[in-house]
Amino acid sequence: MRTFSAIVLIFSVMFTGFAQQAKVTSAKADPAAELIGLWRAKHRFGPDVRGTLILEKGGGKWKAQISGRTVSASVSEKGISFELPGEKGSFEGSFENGKTRVKGFWIQPATVSNGTPYASPVELLKTGENVWRGEVIPLEDELTLYLSVARRSDGVVGAFLRNPERNLGRFIRIDRLEREGDAVKLVGADSGGQKGRVWAEGIVYGDVLTVFLRGTTFDFRRVEPERTSDFYPRPVPEKYVYAKPPALDDGWETATLEEVGIDRGKIEKFIQMMIDTPIESVSSSEIHGILIARRGRLVLEEYFHGEHREKPHDTRSASKSVTATLVGAAIQKGLPVKAADSVYSVVNGGSFPEDLPADKRRLTLENLLTMSSGLDCDDGDSDSPGNEDVMQEQTEQPDWYKYTLDLKMIRRPGEKAVYCSGGANLIGDVVARGTGRSLPELFGNLLAEPLQIKRFYMNLTPTGDAYMGGGIRFLPRDFMKFGQLHLDGGKWKGRQIISKDWAEKATSPLYELRDYKYGYLWWVTDYPYKNRTVRAFFAGGNGGQVVIGIPELDLVIAFWGGNYSDPALFIPQRVFVPEQILPAVGENK
């Protein structure tokens, strides 16, 4: 999975490497002013392979067909697999229910936008003699760039870049636009007497501003001034009127705000504020979705900036909490996993490696769940060898499990909690080896199926393992279920998926971590409510991905956002929840 620094480096090189090909025109007083307004460029990279997948046996041979491609498939007692030539995708699955269906995963190639391959579930149903058919719905691979150009109070034609998928404008810090003839430069702020860095150069031809990214032409075109773009929270300004969320086939019961004791007027005022939010800089708050459930029923579902309920969203580190839930589900199912398991013993087949230091022998799965491994791994320290960016950008060891296991132990396990994504990912190795099953299969069987989650996309490591340190993509309504699951003592629709004890301990304040308490990969905090405080737990991810549970109020709140690596990502949980949402929530009677 490409990290922010790697992505920024690639795009910086592409921007600065653009060759000038400008046609010289007569000088004007301020030619840059002609470009004032909003510009948009969007590129879809595919993937092209999608749609109906057919598995068929004929003449003693198996073959698979998809998107006009036909390849041989391997079928044995262990399962079914095939791979398309040219690294266009692959499939792994197995027969179930007396061979009436095939359940498996489509592995799509690494995306252009972030360099990560994904595994998504596919189910094939038997439709004829030796014929099984299903649908492959890969994750869309796209990149959207908005260039906002406006005259500033100092007379300079300012500019900034917004990118909803990765927030590249946070790193490509454009300050202004300069133009000479048809040649355009996007320039950073001056600093220390030095002229700002030229981040990008382009050509204006008619109403199009053209740049090249990764050898692909991106044509920026003007957006109509009547605010008809997803750059804004809503394409057309509107007076918001609340509507009850629709009941779908995803398991959520729905109700109105009034039916669960939430003040409709206050929530309408809040959503109107979201709609009216000005986008004035790269750091303006960008909320993609807001959902609220109370007493087990979904009562608010609103999306912004072109996002919607059928579009999978990146969870970033919020899906670390899913990793902990997977462990609890495996234990509940009776699989050979427990919190007290010795990490190095499990991953080594049941015995410790020779000459393993004593502290590493004491490292347990619970230590990984509480970020208290003692390994030299700190995502908040760029010099730490276990730092997530350091691990993902190095190429000497593609096996990230082994990379983390080889880190030095710098404190006793359990002594202190230090934020470490590599440790959360290592939990996946312990669970997979302990159960002898793949992580996508475990997640599908233990969590997705009972939680009625039909679509999800697990990001994969260089070795093809599911990365459990964050980044799984879910539909917004589905990811919110993990908060409801813990609020309801481990049950969903009456089915016990994790034990009540696990649900409570996972969301309990076991350690101090940063400015919060921490449980089993769930954060814990307190919110002011009326004349007291209420305890809350939450899954949190970069950009503003948050699922919050408040047991005392029987309340779940979820936010999705696009403020990656920007302090604005904290606005939903630190400002909107205590100041806008909780004042609208009545006592839980």
Side-chain angles (χ1 to χ4, degrees):
M1 181 173 66
R2 291 282 174 87
T3 56
F4 275 112
S5 54
I7 293 291
V8 171
L9 177 60
I10 291 171
F11 277 84
S12 297
V13 170
M14 291 189 298
F15 271 129
T16 55
F18 174 72
Q20 289 191 18
Q21 302 176 34
K23 172 184 175 182
V24 179
T25 61
S26 59
K28 298 181 180 180
D30 190 1
E34 295 181 0
L35 302 180
I36 287 175
L38 181 64
W39 299 74
R40 175 183 180 270
K42 189 178 188 72
H43 194 88
R44 290 182 172 86
F45 300 103
D48 295 330
V49 177
R50 61 177 65 238
T52 302
L53 169 61
I54 299 174
L55 179 69
E56 186 175 10
K57 181 181 181 181
K61 296 182 179 180
W62 291 87
K63 63 181 180 179
Q65 302 176 45
I66 185 171
S67 294
R69 299 165 171 83
T70 301
V71 295
S72 298
S74 174
V75 179
S76 67
E77 293 182 358
K78 294 183 178 180
I80 306 158
S81 63
F82 67 86
E83 183 174 352
L84 299 181
E87 299 182 348
K88 296 297 184 181
S90 61
F91 176 83
E92 297 177 2
S94 59
F95 288 108
E96 292 189 359
N97 292 352
K99 292 190 175 182
T100 60
R101 69 176 182 178
V102 175
K103 292 191 69 176
F105 288 86
W106 177 255
I107 313 300
Q108 71 182 82
T111 60
V112 176
S113 57
N114 69 1
T116 304
Y118 289 88
S120 56
V122 177
E123 182 174 349
L124 310 179
L125 299 179
K126 190 171 185 179
T127 58
E129 186 67 26
N130 291 327
V131 178
W132 293 258
R133 182 188 300 262
E135 294 297 313
V136 170
I137 307 174
L139 186 68
E140 293 288 347
D141 185 11
E142 57 189 21
L143 180 70
T144 310
L145 299 175
Y146 289 106
L147 179 65
S148 180
V149 184
R151 176 82 70 182
R152 294 201 304 242
S153 58
D154 60 2
V156 173
V157 177
F160 63 89
L161 194 68
R162 296 284 294 223
N163 163 234
E165 294 91 3
R166 303 288 298 178
N167 200 21
L168 294 174
R170 176 73 173 83
F171 305 94
I172 304 171
R173 281 288 189 174
I174 296 168
D175 174 70
R176 61 186 182 272
L177 182 148
E178 297 178 355
R179 179 181 180 183
E180 182 176 351
D182 290 342
V184 172
K185 294 181 180 180
L186 301 179
V187 185
D190 298 339
S191 178
Q194 298 295 316
K195 188 174 177 60
R197 172 180 180 176
V198 176
W199 284 101
E201 300 179 55
I203 300 169
V204 177
Y205 185 80
D207 290 332
V208 180
L209 170 60
T210 299
V211 297
F212 292 96
L213 302 177
R214 282 188 175 175
T216 301
T217 299
F218 275 72
D219 294 329
F220 283 84
R221 289 180 167 81
R222 287 184 181 274
V223 175
E224 293 299 322
E226 289 81 12
R227 189 171 158 168
T228 56
S229 169
D230 292 337
F231 172 83
Y232 305 101
R234 293 278 168 88
V236 179
E238 60 184 30
K239 178 174 174 54
Y240 174 70
V241 177
Y242 168 76
K244 171 184 169 181
L248 306 176
D249 62 349
D250 59 1
W252 276 111
E253 294 181 23
T254 64
T256 65
L257 291 165
E258 294 92 337
E259 288 174 327
V260 298
I262 298 179
D263 189 301
R264 172 174 173 170
K266 291 180 179 178
I267 294 299
E268 284 186 333
K269 183 178 178 181
F270 170 50
I271 299 300
Q272 188 68 59
M273 183 179 75
M274 295 294 94
I275 293 172
D276 295 337
T277 298
I279 307 299
E280 300 172 327
S281 75
V282 69
S283 293
S284 294
S285 180
E286 182 167 321
I287 305 300
H288 289 168
I290 303 173
L291 293 82
I292 298 176
R294 195 176 198 200
R295 300 169 189 162
R297 293 183 288 178
L298 186 66
V299 296
L300 182 77
E301 183 184 20
E302 298 293 342
Y303 300 98
F304 311 91
H305 295 283
E307 301 294 316
H308 52 85
R309 67 172 61 94
E310 296 300 325
K311 183 178 180 180
H313 202 286
D314 195 349
T315 59
R316 296 299 178 95
S317 286
S319 59
K320 284 183 172 70
S321 302
V322 175
T323 301
T325 309
L326 180 61
V327 177
I331 294 173
Q332 177 67 18
K333 194 70 172 179
L335 298 180
V337 178
K338 57 183 182 299
D341 282 344
S342 297
V343 170
Y344 284 87
S345 175
V346 173
V347 301
N348 195 51
S351 62
F352 290 112
E354 293 184 7
D355 303 322
L356 186 71
D359 279 346
K360 286 195 171 185
R361 289 173 179 263
R362 287 191 284 268
L363 177 62
T364 67
L365 181 58
E366 185 169 40
N367 297 140
L368 296 179
L369 288 164
T370 56
M371 296 281 188
S372 63
S373 69
L375 294 169
D376 191 358
C377 178
D378 184 353
D379 287 358
D381 180 2
S382 60
D383 293 326
S384 171
N387 177 285
E388 184 179 35
D389 287 352
V390 173
M391 176 181 72
Q392 294 186 359
E393 290 174 8
Q394 60 82 34
T395 56
E396 293 182 5
Q397 178 52 270
D399 187 336
W400 293 350
Y401 295 146
K402 190 174 189 308
Y403 182 92
T404 303
L405 290 165
D406 288 344
L407 294 171
K408 292 181 180 179
M409 189 72 75
I410 60 174
R411 64 181 67 86
R412 295 188 304 276
E415 179 180 331
K416 178 183 178 182
V418 177
Y419 197 80
C420 168
S421 296
N425 179 55
L426 185 57
I427 291 171
D429 193 28
V430 177
V431 174
R433 290 181 183 272
T435 62
R437 296 165 65 180
S438 74
L439 291 170
E441 178 190 357
L442 281 169
F443 178 81
N445 292 340
L446 300 181
L447 291 178
E449 185 175 335
L451 285 172
Q452 298 169 264
I453 297 174
K454 298 175 183 177
R455 289 179 63 194
F456 59 89
Y457 299 84
M458 302 187 80
N459 44 318
L460 307 180
T461 71
T463 51
D465 299 296
Y467 183 64
M468 303 307 291
I472 303 174
R473 302 205 179 201
F474 291 97
L475 300 182
R477 289 169 61 133
D478 284 339
F479 188 58
M480 192 180 186
K481 294 173 183 176
F482 291 97
Q484 190 68 50
L485 177 69
H486 286 76
L487 200 71
D488 289 343
K491 290 183 178 180
W492 174 258
K493 299 302 173 185
R495 181 173 177 178
Q496 198 77 47
I497 298 174
I498 58 177
S499 71
K500 182 179 179 181
D501 288 343
W502 185 274
E504 291 178 350
K505 190 167 186 178
T507 56
S508 295
L510 306 178
Y511 280 83
E512 298 276 352
L513 182 56
R514 296 178 175 174
D515 296 327
Y516 297 96
K517 304 288 186 178
Y518 205 67
Y520 283 173
L521 302 183
W522 284 88
W523 300 90
V524 183
T525 190
D526 292 312
Y527 279 114
Y529 177 74
K530 299 190 184 297
N531 296 318
R532 64 185 191 277
T533 60
V534 290
R535 176 62 52 85
F537 60 85
F538 68 92
N542 193 355
Q545 328 314 323
V546 191
V547 173
I548 303 168
I550 305 179
E552 187 175 337
L553 301 180
D554 201 355
L555 183 70
V556 180
I557 305 167
F559 284 90
W560 300 92
N563 291 112
Y564 302 106
S565 295
D566 191 290
L569 71 89
F570 296 110
I571 292 175
Q573 69 203 71
R574 295 181 180 178
V575 179
F576 294 154
V577 171
E579 296 183 7
Q580 302 293 331
I581 295 178
L582 291 185
V585 179
E587 293 282 2
N588 188 34
K589 299 177 181 179

